[in-house]
Each structure stands twice: as structure tokens, then as C-alpha cells.
Amino acid sequence: MSWRMPAETDPHERLWMAWPSGGYTLGDTQESAHEARAAWAAVANAARQFEPVTMAVRPEDRAIAEAYLDPRVDLLETALDDAWMRDIGPSFVLGTSGEAAPAGAPRLGAVDWVFNGWGAQDWASWEDDAGVARTVSEAAGAVRVPSALVNEGGGIQVDGLGTVLLTETVQLDPGRNPGATKAGVEAELARTIGARHAVWLPRGLTRDSQRFGTRGHVDLVAAIPRPGTLLVHVQHSPEHPDHEVTGEILEALRSSRTAEGKRWEVIELPAPAQLHDGEDWVDWSYINHTAVNGGLIACSFNDPQDEKALRILADAYRGRRVIAVDSRAIFSRGGGIHCITQQQPRALSAVRTPAPALGRS
């Protein structure tokens, strides 16, 4: 069976998330824990207005999650280390099989990448998170597509037509895939997600490249709102180190092509006006949004640039209702809205999980 990862704007069956349960995500105080839970719940509750949402949750945290979440959000109990579903969960794909489904019918697959804490970082734990992709795949009724590549969903962006965006500092990271080559990574992405053309970016944002970052996830710098079009994060302030970084990324993307050999229409999405959060240069990015059926859940930062960014997003995703969620609490923990969500495309699943397994008791 051959697999293809559809565009994130294609119809969804549901959206998957994971409940913040411990460690640095919850923090050391009740105030910090409430801040994290409220932020994750705000994203889930907004998305539930458009499509089904399933939240993976530790059994011992179920009651807490229920207190924050819309009652229509389904819960799936499982072991968790952390709450970044884009990275610990599977990347869903579609395939065609004449044996297990009617001829020509799309089948749901789920690529189970190796997850090792963003390159075996000394602050991360991943014993439980390494098994989340398999758990979600089974609950979704998907065909599991195992991969030996250490990768995360935030490390790739696709257009659904064979193009994949990625960064040299993630898939070629010695902490993830020692000795890996571009050709080897591209071959595995062709096998698992149907990528036939890779656009390699040199790196990601400055803060994301430091100790507590992912070492350069692409979903902070570029998104594909529709085939042939790129939204690109641009830091206009020369004071911020990302001014030079995003200039380099913008130049690389402007000179790149789609899988069809066409130049991209590039839309610049300016960074928030705030440059520093008191600890470091911010990596706040409006790029880190998530598309849902008929809508878009977008980041806001109580920033002067919010209104302009939301207008740009509404125009790029024409016909979708944009809901902004204050994402400062999520970014202070290492990511954004895209990082904590994972879309499941609409398809004919091999197995339909009984509703009670996903619903609330």
C-alpha cells in the first residue's frame, strides 16, 4: 500500500490532543498548572465548535480534564509524559488498498515515528510518550505505519501534493538520526507520507534552537494554507536574532519550488511586536495555527500585531472562521497551537472504535 499525507486543510475526522499532566508543562505551582490547563482547554474547546476532538489523558487526571473541557470533547485514557500531540502522536496518512477496503477507497494510516524527546535532550522524558502514537493509531482504527526515522509532526509541513518542508537541524540532528543523509530521509518520507519533493530549510527560530527547544521545527516558520502558497514568519526588528534567521529562511523559500516545479506565492506573516519575555528572545509565531473543518484556531499574544496577523490568516484561509486563542502560556512551555494538536483526515478506517472508548463516562 502506498501512503499520502493530505493537506491539513483537507476534511478532518477529528482533532487529537494530549492533556498537560506534569513536569515543566504544569510547573511547580497551582497557578502555573491552572494556566497550562486553561490554555490547552481553550484550544480544545475552540476546535470542538468545528469538529470532534479527542484528548488523551492520564487516568488520574481525567476528573481534572473534565472540569476544564467542553463536555463534547472525548477523552482517551493513556500513559503520558507530556502534552505535545503533534510530536508524540502519529502523522495520519491516506492510502488505497483493494484487499481491505472497496477498490479506490481511501484508507487511514498512521505513521509511527520514533520519538526520543526532541533529540534525547537531558531535560526531556519520553518513556510513555514513545507509545502514544501506537495508542492513538489503534483508537483511530488506522493501519499503523512504523518508521525507524526519529521525527516529530512539528518537523514537517506538507501540501498534500507531494511537497514536504523540513529543516536540516531536525531530521539530520545527530541526537535524532546520527549519520542520516538528506537522500535517506527523503526516501523514508516518500515511503511513509508520499513526499516526492523536499524543501530543506537551514534551521528554525533562535529560541527554538536553544536548550529547551526542538532544535528547529518548521511549523514555527512556514505553513501551507493552500497548494502553491506559503505563509512565512518574518521578524522585521533588527534587534531580534530571528531578523537574520527569517531573512535566510525567506530567501530559501522564495528560491524553492513545489513538487510540480512551480514557484510559491509567498505571504509574509510578521512576528509579534514583543521581542523579549523577560527570560529570552521570544519565538512567538502566528504560523503555529491549526486548521479545522471550516475554521482556523490561531495564536494571539495580546500584541499590537495580533489584528494584522489575524487579517492575513483570514485572507489566506478564505472561507474559514478564525478563532484566536491567547497562546502565551503555551509558548512559554515550548510550543504553540499547532504543536499541541494533530489532525486525523477523513477516511474509511479499518476499524471503528466503539463510541464509549472515546467518550466520557
Side-chain angles (χ1 to χ4, degrees):
M1 182 182 293
S2 59
W3 300 104
R4 176 186 67 86
M5 187 172 175
E8 294 185 20
T9 50
D10 283 4
H12 296 178
E13 182 74 21
R14 70 175 54 242
L15 195 71
W16 289 86
M17 297 180 65
W19 187 249
S21 302
Y24 70 93
T25 305
L26 279 188
D28 299 324
T29 67
Q30 285 298 316
E31 180 182 9
S32 175
H34 169 68
E35 182 183 66
R37 291 163 178 159
W40 261 252
V43 173
N45 295 342
R48 188 58 187 84
Q49 298 179 46
F50 300 91
E51 63 189 55
V53 176
T54 296
M55 182 74 71
V57 59
R58 289 179 182 175
E60 61 268 31
D61 291 325
R62 185 183 186 107
I64 297 174
E66 288 178 340
Y68 282 85
L69 294 169
D70 184 316
R72 297 174 298 165
V73 173
D74 298 315
L75 301 180
L76 177 66
E77 295 183 4
T78 189
L80 291 167
D81 290 297
D82 220 321
W84 307 96
M85 183 57 83
R86 179 70 53 174
D87 295 344
I88 64 179
S91 294
F92 287 102
V93 290
L94 298 178
T96 301
S97 170
E99 296 179 3
R107 288 293 307 280
L108 182 67
V111 182
D112 187 353
W113 313 108
V114 176
F115 178 73
N116 75 344
W118 302 280
Q121 303 213 47
D122 59 6
W123 50 264
S125 60
W126 59 90
E127 181 178 349
D128 290 328
D129 281 351
V132 169
R134 180 187 287 271
T135 299
V136 170
S137 301
E138 292 174 352
V143 177
R144 179 173 167 267
V145 183
S147 175
L149 185 70
V150 179
N151 187 41
E152 304 93 36
I156 55 175
Q157 292 275 36
V158 303
D159 65 356
L161 300 175
T163 308
V164 60
L165 310 181
L166 61 171
T167 49
E168 296 178 11
T169 54
V170 173
Q171 288 79 15
L172 302 183
D173 173 19
R176 286 177 169 96
N177 301 295
T181 63
K182 287 185 178 180
V185 170
E186 290 174 16
E188 181 63 357
L189 294 177
R191 183 187 74 85
T192 53
I193 66 170
R196 53 193 177 90
H197 175 65
V199 176
W200 289 89
L201 298 179
R203 57 163 297 175
L205 298 183
T206 299
R207 184 161 176 171
D208 190 42
S209 301
Q210 295 173 352
R211 182 169 180 241
F212 292 105
T214 70
R215 298 178 180 161
H217 270 185
V218 73
D219 68 353
L220 284 171
V221 298
I224 306 174
R226 56 184 180 268
T229 301
L230 288 173
L231 281 164
V232 183
H233 176 79
V234 178
Q235 174 55 257
H236 289 297
S237 173
E239 298 177 49
H240 197 299
D242 283 339
H243 177 68
E244 181 178 348
V245 172
T246 59
E248 185 179 0
I249 289 170
L250 191 61
E251 182 180 351
L253 289 172
R254 287 193 188 279
S255 63
S256 71
R257 300 290 192 277
T258 68
E260 290 76 28
K262 299 178 181 178
R263 285 189 178 273
W264 301 93
E265 174 194 358
V266 175
I267 301 171
E268 296 186 14
L269 193 53
Q274 184 165 331
L275 304 181
H276 207 281
D277 64 3
E279 293 184 12
D280 204 345
W281 300 103
V282 300
D283 56 0
W284 296 354
S285 171
Y286 298 107
I287 290 293
N288 204 266
H289 50 262
T290 197
V292 287
N293 293 333
L296 190 80
I297 314 303
C299 297
S300 64
F301 303 96
N302 192 28
D303 187 271
Q305 288 280 35
D306 284 355
E307 186 177 346
K308 179 180 180 179
L310 294 173
R311 286 200 306 268
I312 292 172
L313 287 171
D315 186 62
Y317 290 91
R318 210 162 299 161
R320 294 174 184 265
R321 181 159 63 97
V322 178
I323 294 182
V325 174
D326 191 325
S327 300
R328 288 173 291 176
I330 305 174
F331 271 85
S332 70
R333 290 159 172 80
I337 290 175
H338 192 259
C339 304
I340 66 174
T341 57
Q342 179 61 270
Q343 73 281 350
Q344 176 186 332
R346 193 170 295 161
L348 177 65
S349 298
V351 178
R352 286 295 183 187
T353 306
L358 292 177
R360 296 196 179 188
S361 58

